[in-house]
Amino acid sequence: IGQLTFSNSPSLLGRTVMEISKDVPQGGITNDQIQAIGTLTYGGTLTVTNIGTNALAVGDRFQLFNAPA
């Protein structure tokens, strides 16, 4: 689990694979995240996998993307 930071405006095409977990590790990061300084363009297929031991529940939230536009 980690964060990718782009200093430009990336476009997601093809397949994007991300991992989430309700188990809070030492660093406190609970999910993969893509962060863009510019515009983030969504496209393709998103696959999200729970790699934690705790089951997901209704209302659980994970911020997978962070961009100004």
Side-chain angles (χ1 to χ4, degrees):
I1 290 185
Q3 181 182 63
L4 285 174
T5 302
F6 294 91
S7 60
N8 56 7
S9 299
S11 294
L12 300 178
L13 302 172
R15 183 174 177 210
T16 302
V17 178
M18 303 186 86
E19 296 175 332
I20 61 174
S21 173
K22 285 176 63 173
D23 305 337
V24 180
Q26 183 177 358
I29 299 172
T30 59
N31 58 277
D32 287 335
Q33 186 179 74
I34 293 176
Q35 183 170 350
I37 303 303
T39 301
L40 178 60
T41 303
Y42 302 104
T45 303
L46 173 64
T47 302
V48 179
T49 303
N50 179 18
I51 62 168
T53 57
N54 293 324
L56 300 177
V58 173
D60 285 346
R61 294 175 153 218
F62 299 89
Q63 184 175 1
L64 302 177
F65 306 101
N66 185 10

